[in-house]
Amino acid sequence: MRFGWMFITVLVAAAATAGAAHAHGGGFVPPPPESGPGGAPGRPTGDPPTHVDPGIGGPITTPGGPPGLAPDRPFKRTRHDETPTFEHSWELWWDINRHALLPRPHHLRPRVVTPGGSDAALPWEAERARLADEVVLPYLRSLVDPKRKVDADVRGSALLALGKLTNAPDDVDRLLYWLEDEKAKPIVRESAALGLGLLRRSDAEQQMSVARLDPLRGRLLMVWDRRLGVKRLRVPERTRVFTMYALGLLGDQPFDERTVAKDGALFSGLLWERVGLPYDERELRIAPIVALGMHPTAGLPEGTRAGFAAIVAKQKTRGRTWDAYERSHVLTAMARLGGPSARKRLLQVLSDARQHDAVTLSATLSVGALAAEWTPIERMLVARQLLKVLDREKAGVLVRGLTVIALGRLLDADCAAGQKRLLTSTDIRKVLEAQATRGPWWSRGYGLIALGFAARNAAKAGDAGIALEKRAGDLLLDALRYKGLHASARGAAAVALGLMGDATHTGALAAIVRGGKLDPELRGHAALALGQLRARTHDVTSALVGALAQRRFERLRGRAALALSLIGNEGAAERLIEELKTGRSTAHLAQVTMALGHLGDLEAVAPLMDAAQTTKSDLVRAMAVVALGRLLDPEPQPSMLKILVPANYPARSAALHEALTIL
């Protein structure tokens, strides 16, 4: 596996291998699966994991679990010798999508802070801005100073954080300098490219002016084309890809409304010109499609939608044919752009049993993630089509699993809108229950998660919804406790309880977290579910703090740290800061820094600055810099979530894989 840049995913994985890998370059040897006392000795092997736990820990392996005695439950006993690949598991879906589903950071709620040594209470945003300007940005600028010798991972981290925290002209120039420096390491150039995309702001008052944005877009396009004026520029393939993603991220920023650039028409047209060019690498063929899908629909060049539709329909377009993976990304771009024609095309793809799985999966993921944008009638039509997909004999594991999740999300959106026809007029509820309680253990996780989605807003659909909510809660709780169920499926039940949002189940989840003889992956999923539920009870806090002390299991500790940051209860910052000061494992220190970044407690700035400046490990220093960028990011939600909704992860390229897992 080639590691091209610093990103959270790569760094934490490198730390978890304890010398088996480096943050960049070289090969990667995954660590042995975590297995606690009484844990399963025979975890599935399958294909080697291709994804790591973003911001949490090392490579994820499909967890095992000991067989047990079957209680009187609706769950059939599962076999533990069935081995899917990680690519087909619900865990990969959850890893890619969870940051779009986790609750809003608690610190975004209105509150005040009292700066150290001061009696004056300031609004959180004002103090955040002060710390960024006076404390963190001067340090970041020193790290990107070309006159200083700085580790490439640390410099890359600083470039990403710089894009999040400032769009001052001099700082934009710093990012452009490193992007265009032909002698810089790839990790630095790639970070600079994405840092320029992270200059986007959702607050109109903080956005760059059109006079600065349009020239910046032009500069990025020149880097993609490998030229600066008449000069040819050497740009590695992956740097070009991230440059195109940066253009996509800037697609919702202002355009000059008085010129041909209005509504992004100029740059959308330039991107459309590059869609379909005969680039040698698939990465380069996919990147302009992804970027164009993040631009305003009003500025789409004439014929773009028709061209996209023709590509999905396997017609020769732009002078060439398109493979299934390219067509899947075109369909995802159409879904992002929205509109009746896109929804019609999604339905047509789902109704075509001869479609390549990659394209069908793109449609399934899109209709699930964007379910709230469909009308009740459209949701009914697509639900009926998804039920037909499940009836296909040749439907693969991943197609069936993601179809079930899409059904759960459609039901969730319908109930949230106060509608009950989808619940009462279809067999969706029975289908979800069957998927959750029968069949191979590795497919049940999808059904359990779909039940969690279906029950989230079910009570808004009247008596039928209330009955669904109770039934789903009972089934999920039974699955969580059932020792005869594979640990992976039990972990899905924990995740589903977190998605469902019913805080009455925190006791059962806390008991799993405290279960020292249980599979550590299961305990980690239960810990993060507690973070989703945000129950500020002594029972929950003590369970999570206890998990932090489990030094044998890094991913468990990382998820417990993230859970504490999501809850944001009194003492969470103090506990994590203490872990940062006393922790010995590099992997754990890296995870704690990221949890502090999620926490949003400005008291964490000082210890993170100390870690960034004084820690001997370049990995921990880099992660502390990333955490500072996350902690002080003015965006309510990370900008990278633009690429995550919907996330066409089954057809992801190497660069898109990293983009999907980095915040």
Side-chain angles (χ1 to χ4, degrees), residues 502-557:
D502 188 346
T504 61
H505 302 308
T506 54
L509 290 165
I512 294 292
V513 174
R514 287 193 298 267
K517 294 184 178 181
L518 296 176
D519 185 274
E521 292 290 334
L522 166 60
R523 295 171 65 195
H525 288 309
L528 194 52
L530 288 173
Q532 290 175 270
L533 295 175
R534 285 182 163 167
R536 300 187 177 191
T537 67
H538 174 74
D539 186 41
V540 168
T541 302
S542 64
L544 294 174
V545 169
L548 277 178
Q550 300 287 305
R551 297 187 181 275
R552 290 178 56 196
F553 309 122
E554 293 297 346
R555 288 192 293 276
L556 169 60
R557 299 177 76 194

Side-chain angles (χ1 to χ4, degrees), residues 263-278:
D263 295 324
L266 173 62
F267 289 96
S268 293
L270 293 171
L271 291 177
W272 178 240
E273 287 178 5
R274 285 153 180 80
V275 170
L277 290 180

Side-chain angles (χ1 to χ4, degrees), residues 314-362:
K314 307 180 188 179
Q315 298 174 12
K316 189 173 182 179
T317 310
R318 306 300 302 273
R320 72 176 182 89
T321 57
W322 301 69
D323 68 34
Y325 294 94
E326 293 167 336
R327 287 188 283 115
S328 75
H329 284 288
V330 168
L331 186 61
T332 300
M334 291 184 71
R336 282 200 183 102
L337 293 169
S341 62
R343 293 195 284 271
K344 179 181 178 181
R345 182 59 56 181
L346 288 168
L347 275 170
Q348 289 174 341
V349 167
L350 291 173
S351 65
D352 184 359
R354 297 171 297 177
Q355 274 286 1
H356 191 283
D357 275 1
V359 184
T360 301
L361 288 168
S362 171

Side-chain angles (χ1 to χ4, degrees), residues 372-644:
E373 299 180 11
W374 295 61
T375 67
I377 293 176
E378 288 173 332
R379 282 194 291 267
M380 177 65 72
L381 291 172
V382 75
R384 288 174 175 169
Q385 193 54 59
L386 288 172
L387 290 171
K388 292 179 181 178
V389 171
L390 289 178
D391 288 336
R392 295 173 187 167
E393 292 183 3
K394 295 184 179 180
V397 173
L398 194 55
V399 170
R400 295 182 64 85
L402 294 181
T403 297
V404 168
I405 287 182
L407 285 168
R409 301 191 78 168
L410 284 167
L411 196 53
D412 175 36
D414 216 49
C415 291
Q419 301 289 322
K420 60 181 180 180
R421 187 179 174 190
L422 202 58
L423 175 59
T424 59
S425 301
T426 69
D427 291 329
I428 293 179
R429 171 177 167 173
K430 294 179 181 179
V431 168
L432 300 188
E433 287 190 20
Q435 186 76 15
T437 59
R438 294 171 178 80
W441 65 264
W442 39 262
S443 68
R444 294 191 193 185
Y446 290 108
L448 291 163
I449 288 174
L451 278 176
F453 274 120
R456 282 204 300 183
N457 292 289
K460 297 179 181 179
D463 292 342
I466 293 172
L468 168 62
E469 182 182 53
K470 184 180 186 308
R471 174 65 173 167
D474 290 344
L475 286 173
L476 294 175
L477 197 58
D478 287 346
L480 178 69
R481 291 170 169 169
Y482 183 11
K483 295 180 180 179
L485 195 61
H486 195 283
S488 173
R490 295 175 70 187
V495 169
L497 286 169
L499 288 171
M500 185 176 170
D502 188 346
T504 61
H505 302 308
T506 54
L509 290 165
I512 294 292
V513 174
R514 287 193 298 267
K517 294 184 178 181
L518 296 176
D519 185 274
E521 292 290 334
L522 166 60
R523 295 171 65 195
H525 288 309
L528 194 52
L530 288 173
Q532 290 175 270
L533 295 175
R534 285 182 163 167
R536 300 187 177 191
T537 67
H538 174 74
D539 186 41
V540 168
T541 302
S542 64
L544 294 174
V545 169
L548 277 178
Q550 300 287 305
R551 297 187 181 275
R552 290 178 56 196
F553 309 122
E554 293 297 346
R555 288 192 293 276
L556 169 60
R557 299 177 76 194
R559 287 172 181 150
L562 180 56
L564 282 172
S565 73
L566 289 173
I567 294 171
N569 60 330
E570 297 298 328
E574 289 80 358
R575 179 61 190 177
L576 291 171
I577 290 171
E578 183 63 23
E579 283 285 316
L580 185 61
K581 293 178 179 178
T582 62
R584 290 173 291 180
S585 161
T586 300
H588 181 56
L589 289 173
Q591 295 172 78
V592 170
T593 61
M594 288 312 301
L596 284 169
H598 281 281
L599 184 60
D601 194 317
L602 298 180
E603 294 298 321
V605 171
L608 285 173
M609 282 290 295
D610 184 63
Q613 293 173 311
T614 65
T615 304
K616 293 182 179 180
S617 166
D618 287 332
L619 169 63
V620 176
R621 291 180 61 213
M623 294 300 290
V625 172
V626 172
L628 285 165
R630 179 71 185 97
L631 173 60
L632 300 179
D633 189 349
E635 286 302 291
Q637 293 290 351
S639 290
M640 289 304 296
L641 289 182
K642 281 192 66 182
I643 301 180
L644 270 175

Side-chain angles (χ1 to χ4, degrees), residues 12 107 143 194 244 249 268 274 334 447 485 494 533 572 620 663:
V12 180
H107 66 270
L143 293 178
L194 194 54
M244 188 58 73
L249 289 170
S268 293
R274 285 153 180 80
M334 291 184 71
L485 195 61
L533 295 175
V620 176
L663 299 180

